[in-house]
């Protein structure tokens, strides 16, 4: 072992009881380790929770929305079957389904709610969306042409006080022109199912009916609003959308989920970035506590430094000794923080109930967040980034005290020894 490493590790483990100052330096070193560890653990836990939220929200949104939508410029699309067949030829497109999407108003038992009405083909819709696992009552297969059945979101059904088997009135904005007045188109629909996607936007404002019933109600003949596509890789949606757009007629619009919900996912990404920066400041504060530790260590070890210099140690070697001492302090804190952070992030479903029982407070309200437990997903890329940046901060904090140690004058240091 090179003597710089031997001396640096010796200083790190030093526990001389004759000097009270050494015990204080050890205490400051311990505080620096704990601060670095807590900062790293907090970073891992918070980023894991935000990753879990992103994945959960993306799953819930794409369980109802499509990866890619092809629609007509005027809101109507003719010859949807040809468009669907052409899109499915792309190697990454798994399935395609037509849809009709219009606005409407639902009325039941003196309660009235505005809603988005989506006409679907149940068999095809199951291939591009995950309504089957979101159904709480009934099923999507109950939507049959001519039966005029309707599937409501959970919050929408609750607001209307409607249950499976009830008949609700759907009022379409397209009216019937008569000599007396313009009358709205009104049709009764039987509630055949209730779904809960976990997203308030859909649970409170989306109703599903059969595609043919929607075409009849909104006078679209055999036209549809567009075609929805599901991909093998949802993150390839922007590229696939661009490739499909080049093969279609210019009168069609192709949009993917990253554009449809761009503001929402951008807000989540910005929040994650800002939380990362804020928590890295905690790590930086803990890392720079090492500066005070090393400054006091250099002051205490001036005689040792002078002796090493008189024995032929170079300023670079002296600097290496104290850089190593600070790096060991930071590395121990980092390893402890990584271990604690991973342990917490992977066991939040156990930790949260325990904390709620101890404090008596509700830390995770399932009725507010529509999630049964706090989601968490550890990404090793995040862990590597956290450890790398934190270790660099630790090394930067050791440079100035180590440089001061290398500048110690042996004659001045040994004058009063």
């Amino acid at each position: 072992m090179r003597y710089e490493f031997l001396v640096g590790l010796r200083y790190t483990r030093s526990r001389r009881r004759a000097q009270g100052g050494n015990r204080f330096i050890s205490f400051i070193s311990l505080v620096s380790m704990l601060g670095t560890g807590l900062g790293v653990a907090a970073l891992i836990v918070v980023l894991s929770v935000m990753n879990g939220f992103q994945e959960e929200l993306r799953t819930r949104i794409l369980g109802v929305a499509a990866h890619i939508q092809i629609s007509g410029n005027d809101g109507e699309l003719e010859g949807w079957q040809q468009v669907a067949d052409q899109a499915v030829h792309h190697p990454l497109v798994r399935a395609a389904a037509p849809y009709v999407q219009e606005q409407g108003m639902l009325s039941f038992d003196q309660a009235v709610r505005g809603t988005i009405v989506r006409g679907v083909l149940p068999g095809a819709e199951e291939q591009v969306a995950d309504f089957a696992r979101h159904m709480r009552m009934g099923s999507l297969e109950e939507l049959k042409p001519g039966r005029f059945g309707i599937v409501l979101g959970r919050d929408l059904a609750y607001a209307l006080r409607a249950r499976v088997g009830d008949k609700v009135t759907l009022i379409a904005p397209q009216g019937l022109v008569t000599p007396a007045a313009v009358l709205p188109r009104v049709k009764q629909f039987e509630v055949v199912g209730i779904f809960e996607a976990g997203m308030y936007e859909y649970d409170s404002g989306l109703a599903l009916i059969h595609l043919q019933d929607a075409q009849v109600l909104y006078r679209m003949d055999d036209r549809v609003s567009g075609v929805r596509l599901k991909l093998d890789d949802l993150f390839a949606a922007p590229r696939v959308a661009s490739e499909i757009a080049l093969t279609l007629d210019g009168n069609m619009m192709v949009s993917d989920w990253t554009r449809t919900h761009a503001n929402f996912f951008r807000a989540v990404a910005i929040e994650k970035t800002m939380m990362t920066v804020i928590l890295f400041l905690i790590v930086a504060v803990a890392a720079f506590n090492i500066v005070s530790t090393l400054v006091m260590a250099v002051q205490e070890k001036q005689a040792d430094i002078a002796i090493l210099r008189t024995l032929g140690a170079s300023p670079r070697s002296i600097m290496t000794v104290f850089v190593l001492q600070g790096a060991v302090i930071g590395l121990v804190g980092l390893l402890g923080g990584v271990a604690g952070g991973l342990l917490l992030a992977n066991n939040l479903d156990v930790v949260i109930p325990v904390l709620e029982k101890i404090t008596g407070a509700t830390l995770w309200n399932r009725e507010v967040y529509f999630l049964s437990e706090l989601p968490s997903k550890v990404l090793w890329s995040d862990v590597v980034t956290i450890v790398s940046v934190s270790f660099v901060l630790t090394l930067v904090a050791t440079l100035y005290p180590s440089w001061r140690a290398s500048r110690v004058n042996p004659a001045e240091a040994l004058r009063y020894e």
Side-chain angles (χ1 to χ4, degrees), residues 36-84:
T36 304
L38 287 174
V40 170
L43 262 170
I44 292 175
V45 172
V46 170
L47 291 186
S48 298
V49 170
M50 298 198 73
N51 291 332
F53 263 120
Q54 280 185 315
E55 185 177 38
E56 188 70 22
L57 291 173
R58 185 167 56 239
T59 301
R60 290 176 181 270
I61 289 174
L62 297 182
V64 178
H67 294 169
I68 295 177
Q69 289 190 164
I70 303 174
S71 57
N73 286 330
D74 56 354
E76 295 185 357
L77 181 66
E78 294 184 1
W80 67 266
Q81 188 64 58
Q82 181 180 356
V83 174

Side-chain angles (χ1 to χ4, degrees), residues 12 29 32-33 290 293-294 324-334:
T12 304
S29 300
S32 301
M33 290 180 187
I290 298 174
T293 302
L294 293 182
L324 180 63
Q325 182 181 356
V328 169
I329 294 173
L331 190 59
V332 171
L334 281 175

Side-chain angles (χ1 to χ4, degrees), residues 64-71 77 79-88 93-101 118-131 140 208-209 211 215 223-231 244:
V64 178
H67 294 169
I68 295 177
Q69 289 190 164
I70 303 174
S71 57
L77 181 66
W80 67 266
Q81 188 64 58
Q82 181 180 356
V83 174
D85 292 340
Q86 190 172 352
V88 171
V93 176
R94 182 187 303 176
Y99 72 95
V100 170
Q101 188 154 306
R118 182 185 295 173
V120 298
L121 290 176
E125 186 68 16
E126 289 291 357
Q127 298 180 19
V128 299
D130 298 327
F131 277 107
L140 210 61
L208 305 177
I209 63 177
L211 183 72
Q215 290 172 329
R223 300 185 301 277
V224 297
S225 299
V227 175
R228 290 151 47 85
L229 306 178
K230 185 172 185 176
L231 308 181
I244 291 177

Side-chain angles (χ1 to χ4, degrees), residues 109-122:
D109 192 23
Q110 298 183 347
V112 179
R113 289 291 184 275
T115 182
I116 297 296
V117 179
R118 182 185 295 173
V120 298
L121 290 176

